[in-house]
Short mmCIF file of all heavy atoms in Angstrom, two decimals:
data_model
loop_
_atom_site.label_atom_id
_atom_site.label_comp_id
_atom_site.label_asym_id
_atom_site.label_seq_id
_atom_site.Cartn_x
_atom_site.Cartn_y
_atom_site.Cartn_z
N PHE R 77 173.19 -8.42 -20.99
CA PHE R 77 172.64 -7.46 -21.95
C PHE R 77 171.94 -6.30 -21.20
O PHE R 77 171.14 -6.55 -20.30
CB PHE R 77 171.61 -8.15 -22.85
CG PHE R 77 171.52 -7.60 -24.24
CD1 PHE R 77 172.18 -8.19 -25.29
CD2 PHE R 77 170.76 -6.44 -24.48
CE1 PHE R 77 172.09 -7.67 -26.59
CE2 PHE R 77 170.67 -5.92 -25.75
CZ PHE R 77 171.34 -6.51 -26.81
N PHE R 78 172.26 -5.08 -21.57
CA PHE R 78 171.61 -3.92 -20.91
C PHE R 78 170.10 -3.92 -21.17
O PHE R 78 169.63 -4.57 -22.09
CB PHE R 78 172.24 -2.61 -21.43
CG PHE R 78 171.62 -2.10 -22.70
CD1 PHE R 78 170.71 -1.06 -22.71
CD2 PHE R 78 171.91 -2.71 -23.91
CE1 PHE R 78 170.12 -0.62 -23.88
CE2 PHE R 78 171.34 -2.26 -25.10
CZ PHE R 78 170.43 -1.20 -25.06
N ARG R 79 169.37 -3.18 -20.32
CA ARG R 79 167.93 -3.15 -20.48
C ARG R 79 167.44 -1.72 -20.28
O ARG R 79 167.95 -0.98 -19.46
CB ARG R 79 167.26 -4.02 -19.42
CG ARG R 79 167.78 -5.44 -19.38
CD ARG R 79 166.97 -6.27 -18.41
NE ARG R 79 167.24 -5.97 -17.01
CZ ARG R 79 168.01 -6.72 -16.21
NH1 ARG R 79 168.58 -7.82 -16.70
NH2 ARG R 79 168.18 -6.38 -14.96
N VAL R 80 166.40 -1.34 -21.05
CA VAL R 80 165.74 -0.06 -20.86
C VAL R 80 164.26 -0.29 -20.82
O VAL R 80 163.68 -0.97 -21.69
CB VAL R 80 166.08 0.96 -21.99
CG1 VAL R 80 165.33 2.27 -21.78
CG2 VAL R 80 167.57 1.20 -22.08
N ALA R 81 163.59 0.29 -19.81
CA ALA R 81 162.13 0.23 -19.72
C ALA R 81 161.65 1.59 -19.17
O ALA R 81 162.02 1.99 -18.07
CB ALA R 81 161.67 -0.91 -18.82
N HIS R 82 160.86 2.28 -19.96
CA HIS R 82 160.43 3.63 -19.57
C HIS R 82 159.19 3.61 -18.68
O HIS R 82 158.97 4.56 -17.94
CB HIS R 82 160.16 4.47 -20.82
CG HIS R 82 161.42 4.89 -21.50
ND1 HIS R 82 162.22 5.89 -21.03
CD2 HIS R 82 162.08 4.39 -22.58
CE1 HIS R 82 163.27 6.04 -21.80
NE2 HIS R 82 163.21 5.13 -22.74
N LEU R 124 172.15 -3.92 -30.80
CA LEU R 124 171.11 -2.96 -30.38
C LEU R 124 171.74 -1.93 -29.44
O LEU R 124 172.28 -2.30 -28.41
CB LEU R 124 169.99 -3.74 -29.71
CG LEU R 124 168.69 -3.01 -29.35
CD1 LEU R 124 167.50 -3.95 -29.55
CD2 LEU R 124 168.71 -2.50 -27.96
N CYS R 126 171.07 1.80 -27.37
CA CYS R 126 170.12 2.85 -26.99
C CYS R 126 170.67 4.16 -27.55
O CYS R 126 171.87 4.44 -27.40
CB CYS R 126 169.98 2.93 -25.48
SG CYS R 126 168.94 4.31 -24.96
N ASP R 171 153.30 -2.24 -21.85
CA ASP R 171 153.65 -1.37 -20.71
C ASP R 171 153.02 -0.01 -20.89
O ASP R 171 152.84 0.46 -22.01
CB ASP R 171 155.17 -1.26 -20.56
CG ASP R 171 155.93 -0.95 -21.84
OD1 ASP R 171 155.39 -1.28 -22.94
OD2 ASP R 171 157.02 -0.38 -21.79
N PHE R 186 153.54 2.36 -24.13
CA PHE R 186 154.77 2.63 -24.88
C PHE R 186 154.47 2.33 -26.36
O PHE R 186 153.89 1.30 -26.67
CB PHE R 186 155.91 1.76 -24.41
CG PHE R 186 157.19 2.00 -25.16
CD1 PHE R 186 158.15 2.87 -24.68
CD2 PHE R 186 157.45 1.40 -26.38
CE1 PHE R 186 159.32 3.14 -25.37
CE2 PHE R 186 158.61 1.66 -27.09
CZ PHE R 186 159.54 2.53 -26.59
N HIS R 215 163.46 -8.33 -21.71
CA HIS R 215 163.73 -7.92 -23.11
C HIS R 215 162.49 -7.99 -23.99
O HIS R 215 162.58 -7.85 -25.20
CB HIS R 215 164.87 -8.75 -23.69
CG HIS R 215 166.18 -8.51 -22.98
ND1 HIS R 215 166.90 -7.36 -23.11
CD2 HIS R 215 166.84 -9.23 -22.07
CE1 HIS R 215 167.97 -7.38 -22.35
NE2 HIS R 215 167.96 -8.51 -21.68
N ARG R 220 158.81 -9.12 -29.27
CA ARG R 220 159.19 -7.74 -29.48
C ARG R 220 159.46 -7.53 -30.98
O ARG R 220 159.70 -8.50 -31.70
CB ARG R 220 160.42 -7.37 -28.70
CG ARG R 220 161.72 -7.90 -29.34
CD ARG R 220 162.98 -7.58 -28.56
NE ARG R 220 163.16 -6.15 -28.38
CZ ARG R 220 164.11 -5.61 -27.64
NH1 ARG R 220 164.97 -6.42 -27.02
NH2 ARG R 220 164.23 -4.33 -27.52
N GLY R 228 167.75 1.48 -30.50
CA GLY R 228 167.00 0.64 -29.57
C GLY R 228 165.55 1.00 -29.44
O GLY R 228 164.66 0.12 -29.46
N ILE R 229 165.25 2.30 -29.38
CA ILE R 229 163.89 2.77 -29.14
C ILE R 229 162.86 2.21 -30.14
O ILE R 229 161.70 2.05 -29.78
CB ILE R 229 163.87 4.33 -29.16
CG1 ILE R 229 162.54 4.93 -28.74
CG2 ILE R 229 164.29 4.88 -30.54
CD1 ILE R 229 162.27 4.85 -27.28
N ASN R 231 162.72 -0.72 -31.29
CA ASN R 231 162.56 -2.16 -31.10
C ASN R 231 161.58 -2.42 -29.94
O ASN R 231 161.97 -2.85 -28.85
CB ASN R 231 163.93 -2.81 -30.85
CG ASN R 231 164.85 -2.65 -32.06
OD1 ASN R 231 165.02 -3.55 -32.83
ND2 ASN R 231 165.44 -1.48 -32.21
N VAL R 232 160.32 -2.19 -30.20
CA VAL R 232 159.27 -2.19 -29.16
C VAL R 232 159.16 -3.58 -28.51
O VAL R 232 158.97 -4.58 -29.19
CB VAL R 232 157.92 -1.75 -29.74
CG1 VAL R 232 156.83 -1.80 -28.66
CG2 VAL R 232 158.03 -0.35 -30.34
N LYS R 233 159.25 -3.58 -27.18
CA LYS R 233 159.19 -4.81 -26.40
C LYS R 233 157.73 -5.08 -25.95
O LYS R 233 156.87 -4.20 -26.04
CB LYS R 233 160.08 -4.70 -25.17
CG LYS R 233 161.52 -4.32 -25.50
CD LYS R 233 162.47 -4.54 -24.36
CE LYS R 233 162.40 -3.45 -23.33
NZ LYS R 233 163.52 -3.61 -22.31
N TRP R 234 157.46 -6.26 -25.43
CA TRP R 234 156.15 -6.65 -24.90
C TRP R 234 155.05 -6.24 -25.88
O TRP R 234 154.03 -5.67 -25.50
CB TRP R 234 155.94 -5.99 -23.53
CG TRP R 234 157.03 -6.26 -22.54
CD1 TRP R 234 157.36 -7.49 -22.02
CD2 TRP R 234 157.91 -5.30 -21.95
NE1 TRP R 234 158.39 -7.33 -21.14
CE2 TRP R 234 158.74 -6.01 -21.09
CE3 TRP R 234 158.07 -3.90 -22.06
CZ2 TRP R 234 159.75 -5.39 -20.29
CZ3 TRP R 234 159.05 -3.31 -21.32
CH2 TRP R 234 159.89 -4.03 -20.43
N TYR R 254 163.26 11.26 -27.19
CA TYR R 254 163.96 10.68 -28.34
C TYR R 254 163.83 11.58 -29.56
O TYR R 254 163.55 11.13 -30.67
CB TYR R 254 163.48 9.24 -28.61
CG TYR R 254 163.96 8.29 -27.50
CD1 TYR R 254 163.27 8.16 -26.32
CD2 TYR R 254 165.16 7.58 -27.66
CE1 TYR R 254 163.72 7.34 -25.29
CE2 TYR R 254 165.61 6.76 -26.63
CZ TYR R 254 164.89 6.63 -25.46
OH TYR R 254 165.34 5.83 -24.45
N1 LIG M 1 157.61 -1.65 -24.74
C1 LIG M 1 158.81 -1.04 -24.62
N2 LIG M 1 159.70 -1.24 -25.59
C2 LIG M 1 160.91 -0.67 -25.52
C3 LIG M 1 161.26 0.21 -24.46
C4 LIG M 1 160.25 0.43 -23.47
O1 LIG M 1 160.47 1.16 -22.49
N3 LIG M 1 159.05 -0.22 -23.57
N4 LIG M 1 162.48 0.84 -24.46
C5 LIG M 1 163.15 0.97 -25.73
C6 LIG M 1 164.50 1.46 -25.61
S1 LIG M 1 164.69 3.10 -25.28
C7 LIG M 1 165.57 0.64 -25.84
S2 LIG M 1 167.14 1.28 -25.84
C8 LIG M 1 165.42 -0.78 -26.08
C9 LIG M 1 166.25 -1.61 -25.13
O2 LIG M 1 166.09 -2.96 -25.34
P1 LIG M 1 166.56 -4.01 -24.27
O3 LIG M 1 165.93 -3.62 -22.94
O4 LIG M 1 166.16 -5.36 -24.76
O5 LIG M 1 168.07 -3.88 -24.20
O6 LIG M 1 164.07 -1.20 -25.96
C10 LIG M 1 163.14 -0.32 -26.51
N5 LIG M 1 161.83 -0.92 -26.52
#
Side-chain angles (χ1 to χ4, degrees):
F77 211 99
F78 85 102
R79 307 186 287 258
V80 178
H82 287 283
L124 188 144
C126 177
D171 48 335
F186 180 95
H215 295 287
R220 78 182 301 174
I229 188 75
N231 297 260
V232 178
K233 305 194 282 189
W234 306 296
Y254 289 84

